[in-house]
Each structure stands twice: as structure tokens, then as C-alpha cells.
Amino acid sequence: MGTNDAAINELKKAFSRQELNLHLGAGVSVASKLPTWDKLVLAMYFDLTSQQRMKGWRPFPNYLYAIAEWSLKNTHEPLEITARKLQKYFCGDDGRFDNAAFIDRLHDILYLPYLERIEYGDPQLPFELLERNNSLTAVSKLIKKTAWGHKGVRAVITYNYDNLLETALEGFPSQSIYQETSLIADQLPIYHVHGYVPFGQKEIAHQQDIVFTEDQYHRIARDPYHWSSLVQVQSIAGGATLMIGLSMVDRNMRRILDAVASAPVASRNYAILLRPEFSSPGDDQLDLIHEKAKEYFSMFEQSGVKSAQGPEDIMRPAPNIKSDQPVFTPLAGIKGGPRYRFEIGGIMEQVHALDIGLQEYIFEKLGVTPLWIDDFDEIPRILQEISSD
């Protein structure tokens, strides 16, 4: 039985006893054209700075998102620093942070492609937000199979600000939780642990502090009794947890996973993750690596480093190990050409293969079993299997 099959069987058992908790990340919302946190930060930053510098002019949504995406690939400033810079634009002359103004701007950038339609109350918008979002649709179908007190999903923890899940669950009894409150009986709790900014409902968002910047994360991390930390710990430590649309790069989440993994509890945590792909470097990239290696060889020689290798030699045998020099299979996209292309590409391919195993080791240490998929379209099938009799 494969790893995915064994995990799905465990999740089926948890669903049948209503012990299944879902943790949802940005991957569940991006198909509805909503930005991830990193794009959201940069889009807000460019929107605010461009208005100041260009006397009120601002880019259209498609260009604002495109500029943010380019910056993600080419800017080396940590996003946490950019997020802190944003705070400056929402401080008055007295230095006090204007939380309402910040949330208004966050709402508008989060739903920027749909903003005009939200403002004039387009009744078709909620349905269009869900169209072609197969992951969100599959999650909502799984939840709707819940028979309270018998089987199904016990709770949802979402790291997203949006209310797409609530929209998809229209008619199903659920409770959106974004601050300390009492649970309503026989309703599915949906915990928005980073804040709740439903589209077209700014008055709800104004009632809370959004977790957006690094210092806000740290403030919560220092408070072991903060409600959002407690519900995450309780979810991960009890029942079975399935993480969907999460990249596992959130430091706060890894901190909680580490804490639970070291505790004497039998937690069962699973994450649906896209299998990392190896992108074969093209000839031009392999040639650049080769030329750079020769530059280093010359630098080493000039520094007096003695070596038996020549400037074109790429590999050497490990000491005390008898083996032939490996012969690499030509990688996709590499057709003929000098031998160094095959050897450099082969080294990179082998490192990638080893890296997948190391990732699984790290997940194991965090107490998480990965369910590897090759395409996001596999998510509906997995969720269908979990809820099938």
C-alpha cells in the first residue's frame, strides 16, 4: 500500500468518527484570483506608494498584481520588512495606528479585481468567485457530508482572510470565528486565526486586529493562551488534521507543529503537497555554470591552492570508495553538446532526487505525513475518497 493510500485510509476513519480537522491555506483561494499573502503585501505597498508619488494615480488591478509578482522574483528585501513599512502609511501625526483605514485598504487590495462589482452589489459575484476553483468546491462538498455528532469535519482552521469558504457553504450551518467567542451548538466552527475580512463587509473586519506583520505574529507567539494559538494546538494534537493549500513555510505554524510533535500526544497530521518538480537547466544555464566554475578554478590557482584537477574536470571519486565515474542520462532539453552539460545537469538532478527524501524527513520530524500530488486537480479525488463509504 502506498503512502497516500495509507494516509487516506486513516483520514477516512477520522471522517467516519467526526474527528477530522481541516487547515486551509492560500492555495484554496488562489483559483478565485485572490492574491497570496506575499503578493498582497507587495500589491498594497505599490498601490500606496504610487498614489503618493503620482498624486492619486494608481495602476489597474492586472498591472498592480503583475508588478507585485515581478518584484517577488527580483526583490531581495524580506517581505516582513515590506509589511512593516506599510504600517507607516496608516499612522497619524500622533503616531497611532489607524486600524480601520488599514483594514479598508487590505479589503480593497484583497478583492481588487472584483471591487467595483462588490461596491454595486453584483448578485452573481459570489457564484463567480467559486467558479473553476476545484479545490474550494471539493472542500465544501466534503464539509457538507458532515452529519453533526456522527461523521464528518469537526472544525476548520483557515489562514486566509477571505470568506470564500463561507460563501461556498451557503446553507450549511457554520460559525465564522475571528476573536474570542462562545461556540454555537451544531455549527461547524471556521477559525480565521489571522483575521477575517469578508468581501463587502468591512464593518465585520473593523472589529478585530488583523495578523499581518511580523511583530503581530511575535505578539501572538509570546502569548501561549491566545485563542488562535490554542485552537491550532488543540486541532493538531487531537483527532486528525488535513492541511490543504498550505506551503508549510509559515514559521508560526512550524513552531506549533514542533511543540506538539515533542509532546506526549498521538497526533495525526497530513498535508496535501505538490510534488517538487525538477526543472532541467537549459544549455545556456549549464554553460554559465561551467564558465563560472572555470573562473573559480583560476581564482583558486592564483591564491596558491594546489590541485590535481584540471580546469575542465567536474567530479572526483570519494576517498576509499572504489567506483566508476557515473554516466548520466541526457536530461530533457539537453541534446548533444559537450560532456560537462550532462555531468553538471546530472549532479543537479541527483541532488533534487535526494532533496525529496530530506523533505519527507523534515515533515516526519514535524509530525506531518505528506500526500504528494502532481497536479492540484488531484485534490477533489482525494477528498472524495476520504468521505466515501
Side-chain angles (χ1 to χ4, degrees):
M1 180 182 292
T3 303
N4 279 13
D5 292 335
I8 290 171
N9 281 337
E10 287 300 315
L11 291 165
K12 282 173 65 75
K13 293 176 186 176
F15 186 85
S16 68
R17 297 191 288 262
Q18 201 176 7
E19 295 177 354
L20 180 62
N21 301 310
L22 301 181
H23 285 222
L24 307 181
V28 177
S29 298
V30 290
S32 295
K33 306 298 184 293
L34 267 60
T36 56
W37 178 82
D38 44 11
K39 287 184 184 178
L40 179 64
V41 169
L42 287 170
M44 285 185 69
Y45 184 71
F46 285 119
D47 180 64
L48 286 166
T49 54
S50 65
Q51 285 189 65
Q52 287 209 351
R53 299 293 297 175
M54 295 185 290
K55 302 185 185 300
W57 287 77
R58 57 197 299 188
F60 282 108
N62 55 323
Y63 274 93
L64 193 59
Y65 283 175
I67 292 169
E69 187 169 323
W70 181 90
S71 297
L72 278 174
K73 296 177 182 178
N74 295 278
T75 302
H76 301 294
E77 178 179 83
L79 285 171
E80 289 86 355
I81 301 299
T82 308
R84 288 197 182 210
K85 285 181 181 178
L86 279 169
Q87 291 180 308
K88 170 183 178 295
Y89 292 96
F90 298 98
C91 289
D93 296 335
D94 58 358
R96 299 182 66 178
F97 183 71
D98 189 340
N99 190 59
F102 169 76
I103 287 176
D104 285 350
R105 178 55 55 194
L106 175 65
H107 171 280
D108 291 353
I109 298 297
L110 181 62
Y111 301 108
L112 194 57
Y114 310 101
L115 196 55
E116 290 186 6
R117 298 175 62 188
I118 289 172
E119 289 174 350
Y120 68 74
D122 184 346
Q124 293 302 312
L125 179 58
F127 304 102
E128 291 183 25
L129 279 166
L130 304 177
E131 281 183 351
R132 295 181 294 279
N133 191 333
N134 295 332
S135 296
L136 179 62
T137 301
V139 168
S140 65
K141 285 182 178 179
L142 176 72
I143 291 173
K144 287 178 178 178
K145 291 183 180 179
T146 297
W148 206 258
H150 299 283
K151 67 173 185 177
V153 175
R154 182 165 66 183
V156 175
I157 290 178
T158 176
Y159 299 87
N160 301 328
Y161 303 124
D162 62 72
N163 63 330
L164 293 187
L165 179 60
E166 284 85 349
T167 303
L169 289 176
E170 185 179 11
F172 185 85
S174 64
Q175 178 186 4
S176 301
I177 299 172
Y178 45 88
Q179 56 191 5
E180 291 186 63
T181 188
S182 300
L183 293 178
I184 300 175
D186 298 332
Q187 290 196 14
L188 175 75
I190 303 176
Y191 297 99
H192 289 262
V193 293
H194 288 170
Y196 186 44
V197 186
F199 63 86
Q201 302 178 59
K202 293 181 180 180
E203 67 281 358
I204 290 178
H206 288 167
Q207 300 174 26
Q208 60 194 295
D209 290 327
I210 301 296
V211 179
F212 187 80
T213 59
E214 190 178 34
D215 59 318
Q216 291 168 323
Y217 283 103
H218 291 166
R219 187 187 70 238
I220 291 175
R222 288 192 297 268
D223 181 1
Y225 300 107
H226 192 277
W227 72 268
S228 65
S229 295
L230 288 174
V231 296
Q232 290 178 79
V233 170
Q234 290 169 358
S235 173
I236 292 171
T241 297
L242 177 60
M243 304 173 188
I244 308 171
L246 286 162
S247 63
M248 307 299 291
V249 298
D250 184 282
R251 284 177 291 179
N252 192 44
M253 170 177 277
R254 292 201 306 272
R255 177 184 61 82
I256 292 172
L257 285 169
D258 262 329
V260 174
S262 61
V265 294
S267 58
R268 294 168 291 159
N269 304 306
Y270 304 87
I272 299 177
L273 297 168
L274 197 63
R275 193 185 310 277
E277 289 186 2
F278 177 65
S279 179
S280 301
D283 288 353
D284 56 340
Q285 297 300 311
L286 295 169
D287 292 344
L288 284 173
I289 294 171
H290 183 60
E291 292 303 317
K292 179 59 70 173
K294 289 196 295 184
E295 287 180 25
Y296 277 118
F297 182 85
S298 297
M299 290 168 53
F300 295 159
E301 274 198 327
Q302 293 167 14
S303 300
V305 177
K306 302 296 182 182
S307 174
Q309 80 176 91
E312 299 283 337
D313 295 333
I314 295 177
M315 292 181 290
R316 61 181 175 183
N320 304 320
I321 296 178
K322 292 183 178 180
S323 64
D324 295 327
Q325 184 174 4
V327 178
F328 295 115
T329 304
L331 297 171
I334 302 176
K335 300 176 181 178
R339 180 180 177 82
Y340 69 74
R341 289 180 182 167
F342 295 100
E343 294 186 348
I344 296 170
I347 292 168
M348 297 170 72
E349 188 175 37
Q350 295 306 311
V351 170
H352 170 73
L354 180 64
D355 187 58
I356 292 178
L358 291 173
Q359 284 192 53
E360 291 183 344
Y361 170 80
I362 296 299
F363 286 129
E364 180 185 344
K365 291 298 181 182
L366 288 171
V368 177
T369 300
L371 283 78
W372 295 112
I373 58 174
D374 295 310
D375 191 280
F376 289 118
D377 289 339
E378 297 178 47
I379 293 177
R381 176 188 59 78
I382 291 174
L383 298 188
Q384 172 66 30
E385 288 186 45
I386 289 172
S387 62
S388 62
D389 296 326

